[in-house]
Structures are given as C-alpha cells and as structure tokens.
Amino acid sequence: MKIGVISLGCAKNQVDSQTMMGYLKAAGHVFTNDPSEAEILIVNTCGFITPAKEESIDAILEMAQYKETGRCRLLVVTGCLSERYRSELPPELPEVDIFLGVREYAKLPQLIAEKLSLACPTVKKPERLLVTPPYRAYLRIGDGCNNRCAYCAIPLIRGDLQSVPLEALVDEAKALADLGVTELSVIAQDTSGYGKDLYGSPRLIPLLKALDRIDGLKWVRLLYTYPDTVTQELLDTLAAGEKLVPYLDMPLQHCSDALLKRMHRRGSKAHVMRLLDHIRAQYPDFTLRTTMMVGFPGETDAQFEELLRFLREYPFDRVGAFAYSPEEGTTAAEMPDQIEEPVKEARLSALMEQQQAISLARNERWLNRELLMLVEETGMDGTYGRTVREAPDADGLVFVPPSFRHEPGQYLKIRLTGAEPYDMSGECI
C-alpha cells in the first residue's frame, strides 16, 4: 500500500515517525509525499501544549478530507495526542480508523492488515527509516522523563525516563555513519540525565566520548540538557571533543528562584550563572541556546523584569520563548494567580524584541571569521547552510552567494560577512 506520513512536533517525534516507517517498509508498504495519492494516511501528533494540540487536530481533519477527495482508505492517528487522549478522541473523530499510542508502532502493520483484510508478514524490529536529509540524523538516547515540572504533560504521556543502553546507542550511531550521516544531534526529553535509570548515575559524558570516536561522523551536537545536571565537566568534555561541537542547549524556562521552585524545577539561578561564567572565561566561542517561559502562574512584573535583566547580563545566542499554556492534568493548571492572556503576550513580545538585539550582537562577534558550513540547500540565488553555531530545525541559516554548484551534505570553508538577528551571510574561501 502507498502511505503518506505527516509528522508533527519535536525532533523526538520525528524519530518515532522514522521508527514507524521502518516497520511499515519491512511489511512491504511504500511511501508518498502526496496525500492525494496515499491509500493510507498517518498523522503522528504532538500533544505538548494547546497550540500543538490544535495543529494536530487541524492536520487530522485536513487529511480526513482525502477519504472523500483522494485515494485514502485508512486514516491513522499516532503519537502524543493519541496516547494522551486515547479514550476521548475516538468518539470526537469518527473519521479516524486507527488510534495508536507512542510505544505501539510495531503493531501498526498488523492493524492495517486487519482493517483492510490483507496478509501481513512477520516483521522483526527493523532499522528506522531516515527521512531527514541523508547527511544528518537525530540520535534519541532515551524516552520519557523523571522530572515533574508543574507545567509539563510529557511524563503523563511518555512516562518515566527509559534510557537506551550505551552500547546500543553506539551501534546505532555507527550504523548511521555507515549510511553517510555526518552530523548527529543527540536528543531526549532530558539528555543530561541520560543513564540514571540504567546505571544509577548519569552516563552522558561516557556516551559523548564514545560518539566522538566514531569514524565518519563530523559533528555531534547535544540538545535538551537540564540545568542542574549540566556540569563544568560536561562543558569541558564538549570543548575537548574532536567532533563534539561547542554548542550548549540548556532550556532554563526562567531565572527567578522563587518562580523555578513554583514550577518544580530543580537547580538555581546561581548554578546557571556559575556555568555561564565558566563558559565566558574558558570557552567564549560556545554557542548558547535556551528556552524561556513567560506568564507562568504567579509571575510578577518584578520577576519578568528580572528575567529580562538576566538575559542582558548573560546573553544567549539563541532564545526560544513561549507563553505559558495551562495543560489539564498538570499541577500548574490548578494553581491560583493565572496570568491573563494579554499580559502573557505582551511579555513574550517584549522578551523577543530584546532578544533580537542580543542575538544580532552575538552574531556580529563572528564577522570576518572563518568556519565550516554544512550545505543544506542550493539554488540559483546561492547556497544555504549551517555552521556548528546553528542546530538543524531550530536555528537560522547562513547564506552564501552563488559561485559554483554546492551539493547538500557538502562542507564548505566560508568567511562570515553579514549578520542579522537569526541568520548570517558569508563567502566561500
């Protein structure tokens, strides 16, 4: 059967989609990017916050139309939304033929066969089917989360941390390198907590050192670290690695100790400041990324101003920010002192306006410097790519005017010549 897959949400969900597609390919199915040609349509949903849930529902309803206007015989919904609302969704979405949770992808070929009265071959666990460009991939080192942040529904959906054994991850990374992957992004809900469930204490540093030794890989990037388990030893490891890139993604959510405690976030502002001071002193060329939340219940004007001041005093290259969204089943949804939407939106706008100037200044520090750029896209107008300073699917791009044809996956040596808040431009050397 010809299958179309729509994958929503984060990179971790993208890995789930690739795993699911591996099972489907092993069962003899093929894939199409044209939903009007698909005989089976699958929407792998996100259920993290309200806008993501709304996007998932919209995608489901859009794909349902192809049961009338296209060739679609089955509509399948998988992922976080389906896991979280497995009893509520079926009566609300009768257009959907199969609902599947987040760890049930191996069942899908059999369920499809039963619905369509087809024979289904026995499928052993296959390699995941890469749908990212062939030169880059995500390595998910664990699923679920032991943190119980007051606003977060992830533990309700995916449960406690389940780390993948270190040896299995090294084998997977070697297999990806053998397929031509040169950039590996290490992900989980909490990467710096990796291994605590299996080994009794974090094992991220040994894992990173093992990945750093794999032939064929050129860049290994660490994402989604949790502040209180980021240590100076981890920073030193990233800085010393041959292939480990000097890039720290550390979602902070806020800097006010009182608000962090209310959020049920471990760690402290002082700990983060010590880490950032260490980076300033020892590794000034580290690229720093964080995520901040505004409008959490009880956030005062003074706490918001403290956040703005912190970001001026400890500037990050990249900041993602969002307004708090109450999620049913979470502690924060029942808290008093909920912030009104106009206040949340005003704070979000103020933070991002300030951050634009900070990001521009951080980018301008790199003007006239030489870096390698990984080509992502090339056309008549020129070439777009990323350096070690830009994470895939999250950060901006670097533009190089046309000189000669560059192929995606190629590494170019460039000199950076122009800076904007999110993107940069350069020239080939």
Side-chain angles (χ1 to χ4, degrees), residues 25-254:
K25 181 182 179 183
H29 298 287
V30 296
F31 301 97
T32 177
N33 291 323
D34 184 352
S36 67
E37 291 295 317
E39 298 164 280
I40 301 169
L41 282 166
I42 302 172
V43 182
N44 194 20
T45 59
C46 178
F48 179 45
I49 57 176
T50 297
K53 291 187 284 188
E54 292 172 348
E55 181 187 22
S56 294
I57 294 295
D58 289 344
I60 293 167
L61 295 176
E62 181 183 352
M63 293 303 108
Q65 296 177 13
Y66 289 101
K67 297 181 81 170
E68 303 293 333
T69 63
R71 302 175 60 194
C72 181
R73 298 172 60 187
L74 280 184
L75 178 58
V76 181
V77 172
T78 66
C80 291
L81 192 74
S82 185
E83 176 76 29
R84 189 174 181 188
Y85 301 105
R86 57 173 62 227
S87 59
E88 294 91 339
L89 286 178
E92 297 294 330
L93 294 169
E95 305 94 331
V96 178
D97 301 286
I98 298 173
F99 288 94
L100 211 61
V102 296
R103 295 194 179 102
E104 301 176 301
Y105 301 112
K107 300 178 183 178
L108 191 51
Q110 184 62 45
L111 291 173
I112 289 173
E114 291 172 0
K115 284 284 186 180
L116 298 177
S117 301
L118 302 172
C120 181
T122 301
V123 177
K124 297 180 180 179
K125 185 176 181 180
E127 295 294 330
R128 78 185 210 234
L129 184 64
L130 288 183
V131 293
T132 50
Y135 50 85
R136 61 178 172 91
Y138 291 100
L139 182 71
R140 188 170 70 183
I141 63 176
D143 196 14
C145 188
N146 288 346
N147 305 317
R148 291 297 183 264
C149 303
Y151 52 83
C152 185
I154 292 297
L156 302 176
I157 299 169
R158 294 186 174 268
D160 290 337
L161 172 66
Q162 296 183 27
S163 299
V164 180
L166 194 151
E167 295 80 6
L169 291 170
V170 173
D171 288 344
E172 182 179 359
K174 288 178 178 178
L176 290 169
D178 289 343
L179 290 173
V181 169
T182 60
E183 181 187 27
L184 201 63
S185 295
V186 177
I187 60 172
Q189 268 74 32
D190 171 10
T191 52
S192 50
Y194 166 75
K196 286 192 289 188
D197 56 319
L198 289 181
Y199 308 110
S201 61
R203 287 293 187 273
L204 179 62
I205 290 174
L207 173 63
L208 291 175
K209 289 180 177 179
L211 297 177
D212 195 46
R213 295 191 292 268
I214 293 177
D215 293 336
L217 294 180
K218 197 172 187 72
W219 291 347
V220 177
R221 189 185 307 274
L222 178 63
L223 302 174
Y224 305 117
T225 63
Y226 193 95
D228 84 320
T229 43
V230 174
T231 63
Q232 291 188 9
E233 183 186 6
L234 175 59
L235 298 175
D236 295 342
T237 299
L238 291 174
E242 178 185 350
K243 298 165 185 179
L244 306 178
V245 301
Y247 184 106
L248 179 66
D249 174 36
M250 184 172 60
L252 298 177
Q253 310 308 343
H254 215 281

Side-chain angles (χ1 to χ4, degrees), residues 341-359:
E341 289 299 323
V343 175
K344 290 192 282 190
E345 293 304 323
R347 289 176 179 174
L348 180 62
S349 295
L351 188 154
M352 293 311 297
E353 182 178 354
Q354 172 180 286
Q355 183 58 37
Q356 281 199 348
I358 293 172
S359 292

Side-chain angles (χ1 to χ4, degrees), residues 188-321:
Q189 268 74 32
D190 171 10
T191 52
S192 50
Y194 166 75
K196 286 192 289 188
D197 56 319
L198 289 181
Y199 308 110
S201 61
R203 287 293 187 273
L204 179 62
I205 290 174
L207 173 63
L208 291 175
K209 289 180 177 179
L211 297 177
D212 195 46
R213 295 191 292 268
I214 293 177
D215 293 336
L217 294 180
K218 197 172 187 72
W219 291 347
V220 177
R221 189 185 307 274
L222 178 63
L223 302 174
Y224 305 117
T225 63
Y226 193 95
D228 84 320
T229 43
V230 174
T231 63
Q232 291 188 9
E233 183 186 6
L234 175 59
L235 298 175
D236 295 342
T237 299
L238 291 174
E242 178 185 350
K243 298 165 185 179
L244 306 178
V245 301
Y247 184 106
L248 179 66
D249 174 36
M250 184 172 60
L252 298 177
Q253 310 308 343
H254 215 281
C255 71
S256 163
D257 283 336
L259 207 58
L260 290 171
K261 185 176 181 180
R262 190 174 171 89
M263 289 179 174
H264 299 174
R265 297 277 293 178
R266 300 189 313 274
S268 67
K269 181 179 179 180
H271 172 73
V272 171
M273 291 167 65
R274 284 194 297 271
L275 290 175
L276 297 177
D277 284 336
H278 181 70
I279 292 172
R280 277 178 171 175
Q282 299 296 324
Y283 313 116
D285 287 345
F286 254 61
T287 298
L288 301 174
R289 179 178 180 83
T290 192
T291 305
M292 293 296 188
M293 179 192 299
V294 299
F296 186 79
E299 182 190 47
T300 64
D301 289 340
Q303 288 169 334
F304 177 65
E305 289 300 325
E306 180 185 359
L307 175 59
L308 293 181
R309 185 168 58 253
F310 171 78
L311 289 173
R312 292 193 298 269
E313 295 173 355
Y314 287 90
F316 283 76
D317 300 84
R318 330 279 186 209
V319 174

Side-chain angles (χ1 to χ4, degrees), residues 337-399:
D337 303 321
Q338 298 284 329
I339 307 296
E340 294 182 355
E341 289 299 323
V343 175
K344 290 192 282 190
E345 293 304 323
R347 289 176 179 174
L348 180 62
S349 295
L351 188 154
M352 293 311 297
E353 182 178 354
Q354 172 180 286
Q355 183 58 37
Q356 281 199 348
I358 293 172
S359 292
L360 175 59
R362 297 285 290 181
N363 280 347
E364 287 175 338
R365 297 166 60 241
W366 288 82
L367 290 175
N368 299 314
R369 297 177 65 176
E370 297 177 4
L371 287 174
L372 282 182
M373 183 183 85
L374 172 59
V375 175
E376 289 275 21
E377 181 182 340
T378 188
M380 295 296 293
D381 62 332
T383 296
Y384 293 87
R386 294 177 295 102
T387 70
V388 291
R389 300 185 63 244
E390 292 88 26
D393 305 319
D395 298 332
L397 294 171
V398 179
F399 172 74

